[in-house]
C-alpha cells in the first residue's frame, strides 16, 4: 500500500478545500493516487473545489497587449518572490516585451522567445541575462494570442497582474463599431466575468467528450451513495450536467451584472441594440498568475502531519 505523506494530504486539501482527515482517508482509499482521491471526495460531496491552480506559488505578472481592437495577446513573466516584481529591471523587461509584442505580433510562445529583444539578444537570452542581474529565476512562461484581425478584441488585467483576460466578440459588420463605447463596455464586462467566475471553456462544444463522461460518472456515483435509485439517475445526471455546464462554460454562466440571463443572451441582446447581427463571444483566454507551478513546502505541513498522526492512532 502506498505511503500517504503529510505533504500529499496538504496538497489535496488545497486542491479540494476538504477537511484534512477526509483528505487522509481519501488518499488511503486511492492508495496515494491524487486524482483518484479528488474523485472520491467529490463523489462524497466533500470537495468544494478541485483546482490544481490553488497549488500555484510562483510570483510575477500577467499582462496584456491589444492592437487595433482586433488582435490581443496575454503573457506571464514569472519570478521567485513578489519583491522582484517591483524591481526596475524586471518592470523594464515586461514593458519592453509589451512593446515588442505590439510590433512583431508573435504567433506563440516559441516565436516570442525567439524574437529579437535588442541588437544582441533574443527574448530568451534577455531573460537569462536578467536572472544574472537580479539573482532570481526569471521566465516568460506563457503566451496566448486571440483574434484574426476581423473581430473585436478587448482585455482586462486584475490585481496588478494577478489575472489577465482576453475576449473576442464577433458579429456581422462589427468592424464599424470598434469605437462604439457600448461595444467597448460590453467587451470589458465579459472580460470581468471571465476574470471573476473562472470559466474553463467557452461553451459546451469545447469540453472534451471524455471530460463530460468522467463528470457524469462522478455525479452518478455521488447520488448512488446518497441512496438515489438507479432509475432516477436517468433524469438526475443530465440535469446535473447542464448545471455543471453553466458553471464552467463562459457563455452559459449567468451574467454577473444581470443574473436573469446568461452571458450569451446578454451579448446577443446587446448586439440587437448596437445593430450588430449575431453578436457573440467567439473566444477568450484567462491566465492566472502561477497556475500549475508547485508551491514550496510551508510550515502548514506540520499541522497536517499532526492530523495524519492522530488519524493513524484512531
Amino acid at each position: 500500500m502506498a505511503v500517504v505523506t503529510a505533504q500529499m494530504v496538504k496538497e489535496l486539501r488545497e486542491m479540494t478545500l476538504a477537511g484534512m482527515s477526509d483528505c487522509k482517508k481519501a488518499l488511503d482509499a486511492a492508495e496515494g493516487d491524487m486524482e483518484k482521491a479528488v474523485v472520491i471526495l467529490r463523489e462524497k460531496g466533500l470537495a468544494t473545489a478541485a483546482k490544481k491552480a490553488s497549488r500555484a506559488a510562483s510570483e510575477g505578472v500577467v499582462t496584456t497587449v491589444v492592437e487595433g481592437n482586433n488582435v490581443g495577446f496575454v503573457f506571464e513573466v514569472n519570478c521567485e518572490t513578489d519583491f522582484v516584481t517591483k524591481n526596475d529591471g524586471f518592470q523594464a523587461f515586461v514593458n519592453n516585451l509589451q512593446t515588442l509584442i505590439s510590433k512583431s505580433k508573435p504567433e506563440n510562445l516559441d516565436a516570442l522567445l525567439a524574437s529579437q529583444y535588442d541588437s544582441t539578444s533574443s527574448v530568451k537570452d534577455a531573460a537569462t541575462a536578467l536572472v544574472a542581474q537580479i539573482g532570481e529565476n526569471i521566465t516568460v512562461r506563457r503566451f496566448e494570442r486571440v483574434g484574426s484581425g476581423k473581430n473585436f478584441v478587448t482585455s482586462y488585467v486584475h490585481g496588478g497582474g494577478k489575472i489577465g483576460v482576453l475576449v473576442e466578440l464577433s458579429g456581422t459588420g462589427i468592424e464599424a463599431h470598434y469605437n462604439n463605447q457600448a461595444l467597448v463596455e460590453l467587451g470589458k464586462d465579459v472580460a470581468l466575468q471571465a476574470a471573476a467566475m473562472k470559466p474553463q471553456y467557452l461553451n459546451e462544444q469545447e469540453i472534451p467528450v471524455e471530460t463530460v463522461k468522467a463528470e457524469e460518472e462522478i455525479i452518478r456515483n455521488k447520488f448512488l451513495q446518497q441512496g438515489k435509485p438507479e432509475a432516477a439517475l436517468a433524469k438526475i445526471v443530465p440535469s446535473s450536467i447542464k448545471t455543471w455546464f453553466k458553471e464552467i462554460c463562459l457563455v452559459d454562466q449567468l451574467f454577473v451584472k444581470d443574473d436573469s440571463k446568461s452571458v450569451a443572451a446578454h451579448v446577443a441582446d446587446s448586439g440587437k441594440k448596437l445593430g450588430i447581427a449575431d453578436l457573440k463571444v467567439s473566444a477568450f483566454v484567462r491566465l492566472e498568475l502561477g497556475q500549475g507551478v508547485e508551491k514550496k513546502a510551508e510550515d502548514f505541513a506540520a499541522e497536517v502531519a499532526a492530523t495524519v498522526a492522530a488519524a493513524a492512532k484512531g
Side-chain angles (χ1 to χ4, degrees), residues 33-70:
D33 188 306
M34 193 69 69
E35 297 300 325
K36 287 183 180 179
V38 170
V39 170
I40 289 170
L41 288 173
R42 293 191 64 201
E43 289 177 347
K44 292 183 176 180
L46 296 174
T48 59
K51 301 185 285 285
K52 289 184 179 180
S54 64
R55 303 190 321 205
S58 70
E59 298 295 342
V61 65
V62 177
T63 191
T64 63
V65 175
V66 174
E67 278 295 307
N69 294 315
N70 53 26

Side-chain angles (χ1 to χ4, degrees), residues 3-309:
V3 176
V4 175
T5 66
Q7 181 64 23
M8 292 167 66
V9 176
K10 171 182 175 292
E11 289 180 8
L12 184 59
R13 185 192 183 200
E14 290 179 340
M15 290 169 66
T16 64
L17 303 184
M20 287 188 289
S21 61
D22 290 321
C23 289
K24 174 65 168 60
K25 292 175 183 177
L27 281 165
D28 285 340
E31 297 185 341
D33 188 306
M34 193 69 69
E35 297 300 325
K36 287 183 180 179
V38 170
V39 170
I40 289 170
L41 288 173
R42 293 191 64 201
E43 289 177 347
K44 292 183 176 180
L46 296 174
T48 59
K51 301 185 285 285
K52 289 184 179 180
S54 64
R55 303 190 321 205
S58 70
E59 298 295 342
V61 65
V62 177
T63 191
T64 63
V65 175
V66 174
E67 278 295 307
N69 294 315
N70 53 26
V71 180
F73 310 86
V74 58
F75 65 97
E76 176 183 16
V77 182
N78 289 129
C79 55
E80 295 179 40
T81 63
D82 182 61
F83 177 77
V84 166
T85 64
K86 301 173 179 62
N87 178 278
D88 289 343
F90 181 89
Q91 292 182 353
F93 179 66
V94 173
N95 291 338
N96 289 341
L97 284 185
Q98 288 180 308
T99 301
L100 184 156
I101 290 168
S102 179
K103 291 180 178 179
S104 64
K105 300 177 178 59
E107 289 293 330
N108 51 45
L109 179 58
D110 288 340
L112 172 61
L113 293 175
S115 296
Q116 199 70 23
Y117 183 80
D118 55 29
S119 60
T120 61
S121 61
S122 66
V123 169
K124 185 176 182 179
D125 294 335
T128 301
L130 195 59
V131 172
Q133 175 187 333
I134 294 178
E136 278 197 13
N137 188 23
I138 308 293
T139 58
V140 183
R141 193 167 71 95
R142 292 187 292 173
F143 172 87
E144 298 286 346
R145 171 176 174 152
V146 165
S148 62
K150 297 180 180 179
N151 298 322
F152 179 78
V153 176
T154 190
S155 69
Y156 170 68
V157 175
H158 177 75
K162 299 300 182 184
I163 299 171
V165 176
L166 294 175
V167 167
E168 181 182 35
L169 302 177
S170 62
T172 304
I174 196 171
E175 301 95 332
H177 298 266
Y178 281 173
N179 295 320
N180 188 315
Q181 190 58 33
L183 179 63
V184 173
E185 290 300 321
L186 175 63
K188 291 293 184 183
D189 284 344
V190 176
L192 282 166
Q193 172 94 22
M197 302 309 292
K198 303 181 181 181
Q200 299 174 41
Y201 302 94
L202 174 64
N203 51 39
E204 299 171 22
Q205 290 70 39
E206 282 196 354
I207 308 175
V209 173
E210 58 271 22
T211 300
V212 176
K213 289 182 178 178
E215 186 67 19
E216 288 175 339
E217 190 64 21
I218 288 172
I219 292 169
R220 177 179 296 277
N221 289 336
K222 176 181 178 179
F223 282 104
L224 283 175
Q225 289 185 31
Q226 292 177 2
K228 297 291 184 182
E230 183 71 38
L233 297 183
K235 291 184 178 180
I236 292 176
V237 173
S239 176
S240 297
I241 284 293
K242 286 186 178 298
T243 299
W244 180 62
F245 287 156
K246 292 178 181 179
E247 295 171 355
I248 67 170
C249 297
L250 175 60
V251 298
D252 292 331
Q253 290 180 341
L254 293 179
F255 183 51
V256 291
K257 288 191 173 183
D258 180 1
D259 60 9
S260 68
K261 61 180 72 174
S262 67
V263 171
H266 174 73
V267 171
D269 289 345
S270 298
K272 293 175 183 177
K273 295 176 183 177
L274 288 165
I276 304 174
D278 304 318
L279 185 63
K280 65 179 181 179
V281 184
S282 51
F284 88 99
V285 173
R286 181 187 187 277
L287 296 188
E288 186 166 342
L289 180 64
Q291 282 175 310
V293 179
E294 294 285 350
K295 284 185 179 180
K296 296 178 181 178
E298 300 170 354
D299 291 341
F300 176 70
E303 178 190 348
V304 181
T307 300
V308 172

